[in-house]
Amino acid sequence: MKKTLIFLITIFLFCSTFAQINFNRDTSIAAMENGIHFNYAWAGGINAAQPSEIDINLDGVKDLVIFDRTGNKLTPFLNINGKYVFAPEYRSAFSNDLHDWLIFADYNCDGKEDIFTYSSAGISVLKNTSTSSLSFSMITPLIMSDYGSSNLNLYVSGADIPAITDIDNDGDLDILTFSIIGGFVELHRNMAIELTGSCDTIAYRKEESCWGNFFEGLNSYLINCTTCHPDSCSPPFIPYTSYSKQKHAGSTLLAIDIDDDNDKDIILGDISYTNLNLLINGGDSMYANMSAVDSTFPANNNNTLATDLHLFPASFYLDLTHDGKKDLLVATNSQANAENFKSMWLFSNSGTNTLPDFNFVSKAFLQEDMIDLGEGAYPVFFDYNNDSLMDIVVGNYGYHDVSGNDVSGLALFENIGSITQPVYDLITRDFAGISALNLNIILNIPALNIYPAFGDLNGDGFKDLIVGDADGKLHYFTNDAGAVSSFTLAVADYEKIDVGYFSAPQIIDVNRDGLNDLLVGNKTGQLSYFPNNGTSTTAVFDSIITNFGGIDVDSATISSGFSTPHMVDIDSVYHLYVGSYTGAIYHYNDIDGNLSGSFNLVSNQEQNIMEGGKTALSIKDVNNDQIPDMVVGNYCGGLSFFSGDSITTKLDDITVKEALLIYPNPTQKKLYVQADINTNIQIQNILGKTLFSEEKKTITHELNISRLAAGIYFVKLGNRTAKFIKE
């Protein structure tokens, strides 16, 4: 009985050390702007959308999935009685390795949409294997095509969007893609039907090197190009030898029969221009020949605008108005320097699927129904009017304006709800007028990538404002108004602090000396700690600890981490959450009393929360239930809200440090070991003989003990030992 009591106390004390908030997505929190509620407030924003139809809940109705190449984010919507319902729970059914572009298309004719996505200068295919729930399995990591002399990967640029459809009307999916040097479109014909009599195979052959007999230049076209050779078909004064040295910069292809003549026409977008071009096929399904170009498409009647989308338009053909007729959606295909707010142009189809008639509806389809702050969203909970209701201030990289520039600022969401039920009203997208301030004192222009932090730095009892920027600098604003915060720029380029690029500050008393310090993330993925060496009325940040906590959320593939720190005190114990370029949220503890050491990594993907790239977060109890809640921003300019539903409490630090938790006990196959240290784990028998050992690298470590004979054993971790029974 005594041993059992000791074990239970150990479990309780251990759990107390690692106070854990369970965050659950909450889409019930109301949010509005100008009195109009956002239907999908917390859907996470949209930048470069690629919409597709697929039945995700297997009810026989096509739903909508938006893949965003900005952050490779998936946003699923169920089609419920002709209305879209945000359904993030279906994200987990899709691979985490989807990037650049994604097309749903049924390659094996089983009535279920499969996945075509970019892979290694080509295409990978995942088969829809859904039965009782949505699932996919890899069929080929890289489509090969018969080029005549050899089989090579079917080339598609990561910057492009190919056309994947039945070109020759034989029942299987062919592929149109630009050649590696651009200009000409290749037809890769699917030979599945011809070779096997079935769709259920992947067998491609390069059928034509210049399908459609046209050449795409810089917002210009040469048609009826029957010789199909750059020397004779390229634009004047650009000889083939020069042209071949150019790199293909990016184009988008949509192949549909727009004039009901049983062959595929082409809607083409390019990174070098803002309009769409419709190329009319004057040939047939086997021998395409583009005979006319419409550069103002789809302005074909008085109700329709010509597409003018900065930058790099892509077109998609799917039923978005739920009337059985496919509509036209035009979105930007660029991750940077492109329209990032009103970037989803919807044209409804008042004609038929074989003879469409497109009419302009909106420039912000779905975007206007969600919180979307352009490119990037960096939220911070802050009670700006001191009414005890937690508001949200959100920085961003910027809105892309019509002149091609980005304009950064702060958005203010005032909490107009109650102490237990928040309701957020977007009252301004330029809080404190920061977008007009020339914070970049070297170039005398406004700063980009505004990241806010709040805290009292002058001892007047009111929280001041620090903003970081893309140049790695900080800027200090004093809070002058008192009850309702009003900020005045005090010092640009504050304390000459420079963390490289993309500074993401937090104001918090890191060392618990009663003075607010600075914690700053940056592009490298590391953190810098600036202790306050001044007084309560005059902050001084003249020293720095770089690589603070040994933290580095850098992605090995991109050499950029974009760390965004948020340290939070949970029952007098610091926990540190860090957003990253990949979207993963890192969670660290073992901070208090260890400021010069390396922090313990609890999780490199906290609770599997993935809201798109370049995540940033803030944690506060916003509904007065004594449990912290969390808001997460992302690269697409949107926000996601998570309510906390449980939390443990801390007891005695000294006693807790000695805790070692193992479970289940007794066990048959697996044993989980939890402790606040990472070192070698040993399994010993009752004679003290070490049977095997493993390196513990995370808070919770899984051991496979299935090969052990039944009996009594011991887990040894440093100077800590725990007994377990193998059944």
Side-chain angles (χ1 to χ4, degrees):
M1 179 67 181
K2 182 177 179 181
K3 292 183 179 179
T4 302
L5 180 61
I6 292 173
F7 181 70
L8 291 175
I9 292 173
T10 301
I11 293 175
F12 183 61
L13 292 175
F14 180 87
C15 294
S16 300
T17 304
F18 303 105
Q20 178 66 53
I21 313 166
N22 293 321
F23 292 111
N24 295 303
R25 186 184 302 276
D26 190 347
T27 59
S28 68
I29 308 298
M32 68 186 74
E33 184 177 17
N34 298 323
I36 301 174
H37 283 257
F38 296 114
N39 293 325
Y40 318 114
W42 311 102
I46 294 172
N47 279 5
Q50 300 174 19
S52 295
E53 290 179 300
I54 179 175
D55 183 5
I56 58 177
N57 62 347
L58 310 185
D59 66 348
V61 178
K62 299 298 184 195
D63 306 298
L64 176 66
V65 173
I66 295 176
F67 175 78
D68 199 317
R69 70 187 305 144
T70 304
N72 299 314
K73 182 167 70 75
L74 278 170
T75 307
F77 293 89
L78 290 173
N79 181 351
I80 306 296
N81 298 322
K83 295 188 177 182
Y84 288 126
V85 177
F86 178 48
E89 63 272 20
Y90 289 95
R91 283 176 177 163
S92 60
F94 298 94
S95 168
N96 291 326
D97 195 31
L98 304 175
H99 54 93
D100 291 284
W101 56 262
L102 181 150
I103 294 172
F104 290 109
D106 181 12
Y107 88 89
N108 59 352
C109 307
D110 65 352
K112 298 183 290 188
E113 287 77 15
D114 310 295
I115 291 176
F116 292 74
T117 189
Y118 177 75
S119 174
S120 304
I123 305 173
S124 65
V125 182
L126 291 85
K127 180 180 179 180
N128 190 331
T129 56
S130 305
T131 53
S132 59
S133 62
L134 187 66
S135 62
F136 299 90
S137 63
M138 179 68 72
I139 293 299
T140 177
L142 195 63
I143 292 180
M144 307 302 287
S145 185
D146 182 359
Y147 280 78
S149 59
S150 59
N151 282 340
L152 303 171
N153 68 288
L154 198 165
Y155 174 79
V156 180
S157 167
D160 288 359
I161 298 180
I164 302 178
T165 187
D166 187 4
I167 297 293
D168 55 9
N169 295 331
D170 67 348
D172 52 25
L173 295 176
D174 309 300
I175 298 175
L176 297 176
T177 178
F178 274 92
S179 67
I180 193 167
I181 63 171
F184 292 109
V185 171
E186 297 177 349
L187 168 62
H188 292 263
R189 188 180 178 193
N190 192 341
M191 304 302 295
I193 294 292
E194 287 78 6
L195 294 175
T196 68
S198 169
C199 301
D200 196 13
T201 190
I202 295 176
Y204 283 94
R205 181 180 76 193
K206 192 181 82 167
E207 192 77 7
E208 297 184 42
S209 297
C210 56
W211 180 85
N213 298 328
F214 74 94
F215 181 91
E216 182 209 8
L218 298 176
N219 204 18
S220 64
Y221 294 86
L222 291 179
I223 57 178
N224 297 310
C225 183
T226 57
T227 58
C228 296
H229 193 277
D231 280 337
S232 57
C233 293
S234 60
F237 312 111
I238 305 180
Y240 174 62
T241 54
S242 297
Y243 182 80
S244 63
K245 296 178 181 179
Q246 299 179 14
K247 294 182 178 180
H248 179 54
S251 301
T252 64
L253 294 168
L254 174 65
I256 63 173
D257 184 6
I258 205 164
D259 51 8
D260 198 18
D261 63 352
N262 204 39
D263 57 33
K264 295 297 192 295
D265 310 291
I266 288 291
I267 302 172
L268 194 149
D270 192 273
I271 197 170
S272 60
Y273 47 88
T274 64
N275 60 302
L276 289 176
N277 290 274
L278 170 64
L279 281 67
I280 297 296
N281 187 355
D284 55 38
S285 63
M286 288 299 295
Y287 303 101
N289 183 58
M290 300 304 161
S291 57
V293 179
D294 179 1
S295 61
T296 62
F297 179 80
N300 56 359
N301 59 56
N302 293 330
N303 298 319
T304 301
L305 303 175
T307 302
D308 185 14
L309 186 64
H310 195 280
L311 172 72
F312 195 3
S315 53
F316 306 89
Y317 194 47
L318 65 170
D319 183 9
L320 297 171
T321 56
H322 313 295
D323 60 359
K325 295 180 291 188
K326 293 185 177 183
D327 310 296
L328 179 71
L329 188 121
V330 185
T332 181
N333 194 47
S334 177
Q335 298 185 63
N337 301 316
E339 177 60 64
N340 50 38
F341 176 44
K342 295 182 179 180
S343 58
M344 291 189 71
W345 288 35
L346 174 63
F347 299 84
S348 66
N349 184 0
S350 61
T352 66
N353 286 332
T354 56
L355 193 63
D357 183 11
F358 298 120
N359 299 272
F360 173 76
V361 176
S362 172
K363 292 185 179 182
F365 175 68
L366 293 181
Q367 286 174 301
E368 57 198 359
D369 284 317
M370 64 179 69
I371 295 170
D372 193 327
L373 305 172
E375 182 176 321
Y378 317 124
V380 177
F381 284 117
F382 170 61
D383 183 8
Y384 97 102
N385 55 359
N386 292 292
D387 62 354
S388 299
L389 302 179
M390 197 55 59
D391 313 299
I392 307 175
V393 176
V394 190
N396 67 357
Y397 184 87
Y399 297 95
H400 197 74
D401 65 17
V402 294
S403 61
N405 301 312
D406 290 295
V407 180
S408 299
L410 298 177
L412 172 61
F413 291 82
E414 182 182 356
N415 186 349
I416 60 172
S418 67
I419 195 69
T420 59
Q421 184 60 54
V423 175
Y424 289 104
D425 185 12
L426 177 52
I427 62 176
T428 178
R429 292 177 181 258
D430 193 19
F431 181 54
I434 287 178
S435 68
L437 299 177
N438 293 335
L439 297 180
N440 188 326
I441 60 176
I442 296 176
L443 300 178
N444 196 35
I445 59 174
L448 287 175
N449 205 74
I450 297 300
Y451 197 110
F454 298 94
D456 186 7
L457 295 177
N458 58 9
D460 64 356
F462 302 114
K463 290 185 177 181
D464 307 301
L465 168 66
I466 292 280
V467 298
D469 68 15
D471 292 323
K473 307 296 181 62
L474 301 180
H475 313 283
Y476 174 45
F477 295 75
T478 57
N479 187 347
D480 302 320
V484 177
S485 298
S486 178
F487 296 101
T488 300
L489 177 63
V491 183
D493 196 8
Y494 181 58
E495 298 272 306
K496 304 299 180 183
I497 291 172
D498 189 344
V499 296
Y501 296 100
F502 294 92
S503 52
Q506 183 187 9
I507 302 173
I508 185 171
D509 183 6
V510 175
N511 57 8
R512 301 188 186 273
D513 66 350
L515 302 177
N516 277 323
D517 309 304
L518 286 175
L519 188 60
V520 188
N522 58 48
K523 184 181 179 182
T524 69
Q526 299 180 337
L527 301 183
S528 297
Y529 165 47
F530 298 85
N532 188 344
N533 297 320
T535 65
S536 60
T537 58
T538 305
V540 176
F541 302 105
D542 56 359
S543 63
I544 179 175
I545 297 177
T546 58
N547 194 23
F548 182 57
I551 291 169
D552 189 349
V553 297
D554 174 28
S555 168
T557 60
I558 61 170
S559 300
S560 296
F562 290 88
S563 54
T564 57
H566 185 73
M567 186 177 287
V568 58
D569 188 326
I570 302 175
D571 297 323
S572 301
V573 175
Y574 274 144
H575 292 251
L576 178 62
Y577 298 85
V578 186
S580 67
Y581 181 91
T582 63
I585 296 173
Y586 291 69
H587 178 192
Y588 300 86
N589 65 7
D590 192 23
I591 299 167
D592 293 279
N594 187 32
L595 300 185
S596 60
S598 295
F599 303 154
N600 178 66
L601 177 62
V602 179
S603 173
N604 61 5
Q605 190 171 322
E606 180 69 7
Q607 299 180 45
N608 292 315
I609 295 172
M610 291 292 289
E611 298 302 300
K614 291 187 181 180
T615 45
L617 70 145
S618 186
I619 297 174
K620 286 285 186 181
D621 178 13
V622 302
N623 56 5
N624 203 37
D625 63 355
Q626 310 307 308
I627 303 172
D629 309 292
M630 178 170 67
V631 62
V632 179
N634 66 74
Y635 196 12
C636 294
L639 301 177
S640 304
F641 197 95
F642 297 83
S643 294
D645 69 354
S646 67
I647 185 171
T648 60
T649 57
K650 169 186 166 294
L651 293 180
D652 184 71
D653 282 337
I654 297 175
T655 307
V656 170
K657 287 288 187 182
E658 302 302 318
L660 172 63
L661 172 63
I662 60 173
Y663 63 92
N665 192 10
T667 183
Q668 293 182 332
K669 297 180 179 181
K670 294 182 178 180
L671 183 72
Y672 295 89
V673 180
Q674 288 189 349
D676 63 341
I677 60 171
N678 290 330
T679 186
N680 189 260
I681 301 175
Q682 296 180 357
I683 301 296
Q684 299 178 343
N685 61 18
I686 57 176
L687 300 176
K689 181 181 179 180
T690 299
L691 304 180
F692 67 90
S693 63
E694 292 182 11
E695 190 69 17
K696 180 179 176 293
K697 297 181 178 180
T698 59
I699 286 295
T700 303
H701 184 86
E702 179 183 303
L703 290 172
N704 183 352
I705 50 93
S706 59
R707 295 185 178 182
L708 293 179
I712 299 174
Y713 299 89
F714 295 90
V715 175
K716 185 173 179 61
L717 185 71
N719 61 358
R720 310 176 195 183
T721 303
K723 182 176 73 174
F724 71 95
I725 298 173
K726 168 65 167 50
E727 293 182 327

